[in-house]
Amino acid sequence: MSGFFSKERITAGPNYNRWLIPPAALSVHLCIGQAYAFSVFNEPLTRVIGIQEALPEDWKLTTIGWIFSLAIVFLGLSAAFAGKWLEKVGPRMTMFTAACCFGGGLLISAIGVELHQIWLIYLGYGVVGGCGLGLGYVSPVSTLIKWFPDRRGMATGMAIMGFGGGAMIGSPLSVALMNFFSSDTSTGVAQTFAVMGALYFISMVIGSLAIRIPAENWKPAGWVPSEKPKKMVTQHHVHIDEALKTPQFYLLWVILCFNVTAGIGILGQASVMIQEMFKGGISPEAAAGFVGLLSLFNMAGRFIWSSASDYIGRQNTYFVFFALGALFYSLLPSLGQQGNVVLFIAASAVIMSMYGGGFATIPAYLADIFGTKFVGGIHGRLLTAWATAGILGPVLVNYIREYQIEQGMAKADAYNFTLYIMACLLVVGFICNLLMREVHPKHHLKPDTAGNGQ
């Protein structure tokens, strides 16, 4: 089996069509992107025992919120620890392992729901599934950057847009399956987890079988690297461990962390939030549609913004994200108070496009700053910022919301303070992006070691 999964086995020949790689990446990212649709399970999970309505022994929303947070935490941790392993064993082994973890995590979660044991769901979807998220997320990205050295932003956008679009499939599929399996004795969540686990496992395995890597020093036909590279785009390489010694890594860490925190807390509670902010005006089905719409803009933004960054530069792209994001987050509370559903949804959609664009542009930003040789491993370590944001964002939303409601605030107004905090975080991100400079030459790999492995 090790031979079947080895890098040598999946190294493509000289005439291989590189456009066959994006579908292989999408078959994984569209599956693991289901995490963005997890909020559709939140309300049904609060009445697993009561079925029609929540009983005292049912789980609270704050308890359920940790499922999503744990998944994002272990996404970041697994990506960080598996970065070097990915560069060593190649994407096929990593993607297959991701399929086993993510599909298996959903099956464990199904058992947890059936037995009403929250720790099993934490273990299944949070820990095991989260590891599947991390491994599946990073494995196609560095591969695509190597296949598309001429369009790094577009390449990462193609890979990561699938993760953003996963909820576009996962949200309506989850609702449809829960409706199909629901009965007087079941909310249908357990059966839905089981079916989706099997379907996602099959799709991710197909992607792992289809992936290929280019031969050493391969270049696209007719493409010649520019002798005068763009500003903030290096022709050198920085080793994974050496990258941690540079201020640029930590500035990018804060940039990603705050960009993600600002979006993930809202996205994780999108279904419940819009129903509460527009009480009586948004049905659960419409809220699921809202989640799907956010997913669509999340996905489109990943491709459009990252492709645009090939022309306007990564730093300028992030300036747009942080400036417009801070403005729109500041406007959301007043739009909710005015009952302006259309503008609220429109602003949220634009925010999600930039949120997704931030994810898709960061690997290309890393490749520009640190070179392409170790970008997979460096990207994995940077995703600890996502793990941090996976706790920070939902905690800000869930616990501030609950505290304000306990103090007598109406549910419709319980998100306002958090939205203003998110806007402030984006201002800090803007400042960190302003401080970005090229890496000092002392951190570059020497020519005699550039060809070595880890």
Side-chain angles (χ1 to χ4, degrees), residues 119-131:
W119 70 270
L120 272 176
I121 307 179
Y122 287 162
L123 172 65
Y125 198 93
V127 179
V128 179
C131 289

Side-chain angles (χ1 to χ4, degrees), residues 47-400:
R47 48 182 175 84
V48 170
I49 294 177
I51 308 300
Q52 300 302 324
E53 60 182 24
L55 295 179
E57 54 267 38
D58 270 310
W59 298 315
K60 291 184 178 180
L61 190 61
T62 49
T63 302
I64 294 165
W66 282 102
I67 302 170
F68 181 75
S69 294
L70 276 173
I72 299 303
V73 167
F74 278 88
L75 182 159
L77 294 176
S78 62
F81 285 107
K84 280 190 174 183
W85 182 65
L86 162 63
E87 300 291 354
K88 179 180 180 181
V89 303
R92 175 178 284 182
M93 172 68 82
T94 315
M95 291 163 74
F96 180 77
T97 305
C100 295
C101 290
F102 191 62
L106 280 165
L107 294 178
I108 294 171
S109 298
I111 297 172
V113 174
E114 196 66 29
L115 299 177
H116 203 252
Q117 296 292 323
I118 192 66
W119 70 270
L120 272 176
I121 307 179
Y122 287 162
L123 172 65
Y125 198 93
V127 179
V128 179
C131 289
L133 291 175
L135 296 176
Y137 190 87
V138 298
S139 50
V141 173
S142 62
T143 304
L144 273 166
I145 286 178
K146 291 167 185 173
W147 275 112
F148 292 88
D150 48 336
R151 297 291 297 277
R152 292 175 184 173
M154 184 196 71
T156 56
M158 283 190 292
I160 295 174
M161 77 173 180
F163 192 90
M168 189 173 63
I169 298 172
S171 180
L173 177 61
S174 300
V175 172
L177 287 173
M178 283 190 290
N179 289 337
F180 178 79
F181 288 117
S182 63
S183 66
D184 294 337
T185 59
S186 173
T187 57
V189 176
Q191 300 93 323
T192 299
F193 280 163
V195 171
M196 294 180 78
L199 291 176
Y200 286 154
F201 173 78
I202 293 170
S203 176
M204 293 172 73
V205 168
I206 291 173
S208 72
L209 297 178
I211 199 72
R212 296 291 184 274
I213 58 175
E216 189 74 20
N217 298 319
W218 175 88
K219 292 180 177 62
W223 178 70
V224 179
S226 174
E227 294 183 1
K228 189 177 181 181
K230 296 179 181 178
K231 182 182 178 183
M232 300 274 287
V233 179
T234 186
Q235 298 299 307
H236 301 279
H237 302 284
V238 179
H239 192 273
I240 299 174
D241 298 327
E242 191 66 22
L244 296 181
K245 301 175 183 178
T246 67
Q248 286 82 356
F249 179 87
Y250 298 99
L251 287 171
L252 287 170
W253 192 96
V254 174
I255 286 169
L256 181 62
C257 181
F258 284 4
N259 188 56
V260 174
T261 299
I264 207 167
I266 305 303
L267 195 55
Q269 294 294 339
S271 178
V272 174
M273 182 183 73
I274 194 168
Q275 291 180 72
E276 292 185 344
M277 291 187 75
F278 298 94
K279 187 67 175 177
I282 302 293
S283 67
E285 290 75 18
F290 175 63
V291 173
L293 180 68
L294 293 185
S295 173
L296 178 62
F297 275 81
N298 191 348
M299 179 177 69
R302 289 166 189 249
F303 183 74
I304 293 170
W305 285 111
S306 60
S307 296
S309 75
D310 285 328
Y311 299 97
I312 67 174
R314 322 302 173 196
Q315 189 176 37
N316 290 334
T317 303
Y318 273 92
F319 282 143
V320 174
F321 293 160
F322 289 126
L324 282 183
L327 174 63
F328 283 5
Y329 268 107
S330 299
L331 291 175
L332 284 181
S334 60
L335 293 175
Q337 291 168 352
Q338 295 167 11
N340 197 326
V341 178
V342 174
L343 284 182
F344 182 90
I345 292 175
S348 299
V350 174
I351 286 171
M352 282 303 115
S353 79
M354 296 187 294
Y355 166 74
F359 273 118
T361 307
I362 203 70
Y365 208 162
L366 288 170
D368 290 352
I369 297 297
F370 298 109
T372 60
K373 187 169 182 60
F374 303 102
V375 69
I378 297 171
H379 183 217
R381 292 191 176 181
L382 193 79
L383 289 183
T384 53
W386 192 356
T388 303
I391 293 178
L392 187 58
V395 164
L396 282 173
V397 173
N398 293 341
Y399 286 90
I400 291 177

